[in-house]
Structures are given as structure tokens and as C-alpha cells.
Amino acid sequence: ERLRDAPPPDRLFSWLVTLGITAIALVIRLVNLGYPKYLVFDETYYPKDAWSLLKFGYERNWPDTANDAIVAGNPNVFSDTAAFIVHPPVGKWLIAFGEAMFGMNSFGWRFMPMIFGVLLVVVTIRLARRLSRSTLIGAIAGILLTFDGLAFTMSRIGLLDIFQAFFIVAAVAALVADRDSYRHKLADLLERRGVPDFGGRFGPIVWWRPWRWVSGLMWGLAIGTKWNSVYVLAA
């Protein structure tokens, strides 16, 4: 019974709650997403890196007047030299997807961070629900994150941090799901053997653990967005 401890049975209702909170997060992050229309703070780096990745496959340098040219609607003012690379390309490619869809403008380079900011709310709700065994607590976690000022801002700006946050939380959520799944497999085996526990012996090796693969993928994407994700993985 302890091994079969699982999230509450209100699965459908919990997803309705999740989608409702997610809809609120989406609306408040999407409204007026393109404002301000200029590059703010470190947007001077990553949207331009993303645009050059889209055009050339690698990050190029830009002239000092590039920001003004981009705001004026002329983004193709690249220098001929490659840029100094600080972070890996995953997050910059994600920004580039938004630019490919909507152009090299403030809405385009903020679209994918907005999407991942909303997805972060989803995985937070599901993770908190699974850890607490309570849909209510999962909902509270989602509401707090929906209206958190930092999460809101990072969801509406063309930086890498919101991608990193999503991939890390998703990786941990997958590990927690793997824990539940594995414990249920152990319970099934104990029932088949007709014993209450393993008596101090090692349990079976279960090779097919898909949530572990999902977690590994998420960790790889997190590290591929910002190198310092490796410290979180180590912890």
C-alpha cells in the first residue's frame, strides 16, 4: 500500500484545473507582448544571436547601430565576423522559431519565451500535485507562479532563463513521475511473489523506465540552454 501511494484519483478534474489556470497565465502574458518595441536589457544579445542562427547557422557580430536598425525594420545589418559565444544554442534556437514565424520584431523574439513561461505553469502544477498528493496544492502553486512578478517578466522578454527554468522543472517532474511508476512496478512484483517486502534484498532491475528518458532529455535541453544547469543536475 505504501508503494502504491499515488496522486489523488481526480485526474480529469485536476487537468481541468490545470488548463484553467494555464489559460489565465497565457492571457496575461500574451496581451501587449510586443511592448516595448525596442530591445530591452539583455535582449540586445539573444534575439540577435537567434536571428543570425536562423540566417547563417551560427551567431554573428552586429554593428553598434544594430538595435536602432532592428527597431526601424531593417534587421539584416550583420557584421562578417562570428560572435563570441557565452551560452549554448538551444534557447537561442527557440527564440529563432518565434522570429521565423513572426519576424525579427519584439513580438517575434518574445513569443517562444511566452509559450515556455506558460508551459512552466503547467509543469509546476503537475509537479506540486504529485508531490503533495493534492490537486488543491498543485493549483495554489500554479496560481502563485502565474502571478509571480519575476516569472511574468521573464515570460515576456527575449532571454534564455525561462527556457532553462522550464527544462529544469520538467526534468525534476519527470523524475518524480518515474519514482511513482517504479514503486508501482515493485508493488506488482511483490504481489506476484506473495511477499510483503524484499526482506532487505535488492529489488528487480526495471529496464524500461520512460520517465527517466524524458528527464534525461529535459536535463540535456537545460544544459544546452545555459551551461550552469549542470550544477542543478549535480545537486
Side-chain angles (χ1 to χ4, degrees):
E1 289 177 352
R2 290 196 300 270
L3 287 173
R4 292 198 185 282
D5 177 38
D10 59 346
R11 185 180 180 88
L12 176 60
F13 176 73
S14 74
W15 273 110
L16 292 175
V17 170
T18 300
L19 293 175
I21 296 171
T22 301
I24 297 171
L26 173 63
V27 169
I28 66 174
R29 283 158 172 74
L30 182 59
V31 171
N32 213 13
L33 180 63
Y35 176 83
K37 294 186 178 298
Y38 51 83
L39 293 146
V40 298
F41 190 54
D42 276 0
E43 282 188 335
T44 194
Y45 300 113
Y46 309 118
K48 289 190 289 188
D49 284 347
W51 188 248
S52 60
L53 277 172
L54 200 59
K55 294 294 183 179
F56 306 104
Y58 68 97
E59 296 91 332
R60 280 197 180 189
N61 281 313
W62 295 68
D64 294 338
T65 58
N67 288 11
D68 293 333
I70 291 169
V71 173
N74 179 28
N76 298 315
V77 291
F78 314 97
S79 300
D80 293 330
T81 55
F84 177 76
I85 303 305
V86 177
H87 298 295
V90 170
K92 289 176 280 190
W93 272 115
L94 289 171
I95 293 174
F97 292 155
E99 293 172 344
M101 289 186 286
F102 301 105
M104 180 56 170
N105 54 63
S106 56
F107 186 90
W109 66 66
R110 293 173 189 154
F111 179 76
M112 290 304 292
M114 183 273 297
I115 292 296
F116 274 76
V118 173
L119 292 176
L120 179 60
V121 173
V122 176
V123 295
T124 298
I125 294 172
R126 306 311 295 182
L127 172 60
R129 176 181 179 269
R130 187 177 287 276
L131 284 172
S132 66
R133 306 308 200 218
S134 167
T135 298
L136 176 61
I137 292 178
I140 291 171
I143 291 170
L144 291 174
L145 186 62
T146 294
F147 294 102
D148 176 77
L150 179 61
F152 175 80
T153 301
M154 299 308 291
S155 301
R156 290 170 53 89
I157 192 169
L159 303 187
L160 305 179
D161 305 80
I162 197 68
F163 303 124
Q164 181 185 31
F166 169 79
F167 290 133
I168 288 174
V169 174
V172 173
L175 284 177
V176 175
D178 170 77
R179 176 182 180 273
D180 282 351
S181 173
Y182 185 67
R183 285 162 63 91
H184 291 173
K185 289 184 171 82
L186 290 180
D188 291 339
L189 182 67
L190 289 171
E191 283 186 349
R192 288 198 298 271
R193 293 185 180 181
V195 294
D197 55 52
F198 291 105
R201 300 181 304 276
F202 285 110
I205 296 175
V206 178
W207 296 105
W208 178 237
R209 297 174 68 170
W211 284 114
R212 282 285 177 108
W213 290 95
V214 172
S215 183
L217 176 63
M218 292 298 106
W219 284 117
L221 290 169
I223 296 168
T225 300
K226 296 187 79 171
W227 290 117
N228 58 5
S229 302
V230 73
Y231 298 116
V232 188
L233 172 59

